[in-house]
């Protein structure tokens, strides 16, 4: 009956160990790309890094048992829209590709939903990091973590994808997610129209009106191109974060989605952004 607690315990230990290895990789990358400047960059990002580690620990301890319990419930209840047999006749590498592609498609639309006034108050915490690093991937309000998990996993289970494909999709999204949040000046050239680069996702976090409501995908830039939200005007050197919120404490940001006024602020932000995006772009003005 309490299987989910035992599973959660192992999952928490496993995640903490893996994170240590990932931290070493990104530390090495920072020194390779920035040289000695990496030290001052690390120092500047320290308060936000501490914030990110705290929220990650809180999510890990609070939410892991809930997420394991939800996934057990999902498995008990038949959510299937497509029968699992359908996937058996397809080669495994193709099934994995379909899982990651579909996973990113649903992730793209879920992320757009997170930028509406309804979910923005809980998504805001992810954007409040003014010194984005790979660890920003762990900076999510528990409500945002929960809604992401429920939306993404319900969809992938409903299409009857085999467990190995769902697992690999999760790993790809997670590790690639760390990578696109890292402070790396890589835009991929022409490949940047196919895959999301660290520069492309950095623009998603830029605190300037033109950048809001752009670059929602995690793995495939093609979704942003197809749905008109792609925007990469060179390397991103603009300030990051959310005006008036980036310096708020962890507790203040945890309370934020529980205040009615946050939804009013979210709605005002949406209205303002809609006006910005309805105006002709600089190119069409010329
Ligand atoms: Zn976002
Ligand atoms: Zn992000």
């Amino acid at each position: 009956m309490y299987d989910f607690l035992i599973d959660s315990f192992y999952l928490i230990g496993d995640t903490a160990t893996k994170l240590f290895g990932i931290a070493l990789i990104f530390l090495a990358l920072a020194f390779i790309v920035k040289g000695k400047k990496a030290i001052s960059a690390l120092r500047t990002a320290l308060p936000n890094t501490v914030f990110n580690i705290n929220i990650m620990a809180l999510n890990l301890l609070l939410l892991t048992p809930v997420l394991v319990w939800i996934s057990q419930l999902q498995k008990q209840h038949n959510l299937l829209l497509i029968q699992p047999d359908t996937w058996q006749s397809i080669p495994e590498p193709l099934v994995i590709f379909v899982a990651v592609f579909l996973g990113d498609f649903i992730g793209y639309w879920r992320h757009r939903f997170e930028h509406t006034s309804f979910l923005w108050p809980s998504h805001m915490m992810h954007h409040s990091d003014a010194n984005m690093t790979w660890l920003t991937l762990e900076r999510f309000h528990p409500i945002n973590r929960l809604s992401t998990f429920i939306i993404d996993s319900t969809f992938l289970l409903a299409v009857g994808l085999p467990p190995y494909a769902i697992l690999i999709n999760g790993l790809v999204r997670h590790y690639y997610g760390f990578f696109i949040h890292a402070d790396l000046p890589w835009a991929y050239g022409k490949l940047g129209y196919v895959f999301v680069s660290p520069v492309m996702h950095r623009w998603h976090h830029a605190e300037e009106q033109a950048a809001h409501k752009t670059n929602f995908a995690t793995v495939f830039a093609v979704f942003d191109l197809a749905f008109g939200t792609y925007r990469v005007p060179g390397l991103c050197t603009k300030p990051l974060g959310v005006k008036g919120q980036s310096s708020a404490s962890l507790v203040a940001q945890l309370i934020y989605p529980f205040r009615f006024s946050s939804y009013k602020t979210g709605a005002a932000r949406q209205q303002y952004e809609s006006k910005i995006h309805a105006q002709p772009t600089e190119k069409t003005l010329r």
Side-chain angles (χ1 to χ4, degrees):
M1 188 186 170
Y2 294 108
D3 279 1
F4 76 96
L5 281 179
I6 297 163
D7 286 356
S8 310
F9 180 75
Y10 283 112
L11 204 61
I12 290 169
D14 198 38
T15 310
T17 321
K18 275 184 191 139
L19 273 171
F20 187 70
I22 301 166
L24 290 179
I25 294 171
F26 281 105
L27 204 63
L29 262 178
F31 278 101
I32 291 167
V33 173
K34 294 179 194 158
K36 275 185 188 162
K37 281 185 187 158
I39 298 171
S40 58
L42 282 172
R43 210 173 280 152
T44 315
L46 191 64
N48 273 309
T49 304
V50 172
F51 185 116
N52 296 346
I53 291 171
N54 286 340
I55 188 66
M56 179 183 71
L58 188 78
N59 277 333
L60 211 55
L61 294 173
L62 262 185
L63 282 187
T64 308
V66 183
L67 300 187
V68 173
W69 178 65
I70 291 174
S71 64
Q72 284 181 359
L73 272 184
Q74 285 172 329
K75 277 174 202 153
Q76 281 164 18
H77 294 85
N78 194 354
L79 303 166
L80 291 174
L81 294 173
I82 297 174
Q83 287 308 311
D85 311 354
T86 320
W87 300 104
Q88 279 174 8
S89 54
I90 302 169
E92 284 182 5
L94 191 61
V95 177
I96 292 168
F97 175 77
V98 171
V100 178
F101 198 73
L102 271 180
D104 208 40
F105 175 74
I106 190 69
Y108 171 87
W109 286 104
R110 186 248 310 136
H111 194 178
R112 282 188 73 155
F113 185 34
E114 287 165 348
H115 279 254
T116 62
S117 53
F118 182 61
L119 281 186
W120 172 253
S122 54
H123 186 55
M124 189 277 290
M125 183 187 275
H126 179 62
H127 281 264
S128 69
D129 195 341
N131 310 100
M132 203 168 117
T133 62
W134 64 280
L135 258 181
T136 310
L137 181 75
E138 297 292 346
R139 187 187 180 113
F140 280 103
H141 194 285
I143 295 177
N144 198 174
R145 258 278 180 262
L146 206 60
S147 58
T148 299
F149 181 81
I150 292 172
I151 295 170
D152 290 18
S153 62
T154 303
F155 177 82
L156 287 171
L157 285 171
V159 291
L161 280 160
Y164 72 86
I166 293 181
L167 184 80
I168 293 175
N169 167 56
L171 289 174
V172 169
R173 293 187 68 74
H174 197 65
Y175 287 100
Y176 199 68
F178 279 133
F179 184 69
I180 61 165
H181 284 90
D183 183 11
L184 298 166
W186 298 341
Y188 297 172
K190 291 249 181 327
L191 259 186
Y193 291 114
V194 182
F195 297 107
V196 175
S197 65
V199 169
M200 181 178 167
H201 195 67
R202 203 166 187 81
W203 276 113
H204 177 70
H205 283 258
E207 181 43 315
E208 64 166 15
Q209 284 89 22
H212 298 164
K213 297 212 168 187
T214 62
N215 303 353
F216 292 103
T218 296
V219 182
F220 295 103
V222 290
F223 294 122
D224 281 293
L225 274 173
F227 301 117
T229 49
Y230 181 90
R231 183 177 178 269
V232 185
L235 288 180
C236 178
T237 51
K238 300 280 179 184
L240 309 176
V242 181
K243 234 175 243 163
Q245 294 295 339
S246 285
S247 54
S249 70
L250 176 61
V251 175
Q253 293 194 38
L254 279 171
I255 294 168
Y256 192 71
F258 297 103
R259 299 166 77 140
F260 182 66
S261 59
S262 309
Y263 294 85
K264 275 178 37 189
T265 313
R269 184 184 159 106
Q270 299 304 313
Q271 243 177 8
Y272 185 57
E273 284 171 355
S274 306
K275 273 186 205 151
I276 294 282
H277 285 276
Q279 280 169 11
T281 60
E282 288 158 40
K283 255 187 193 164
T284 43
L285 280 172
R286 257 179 231 143

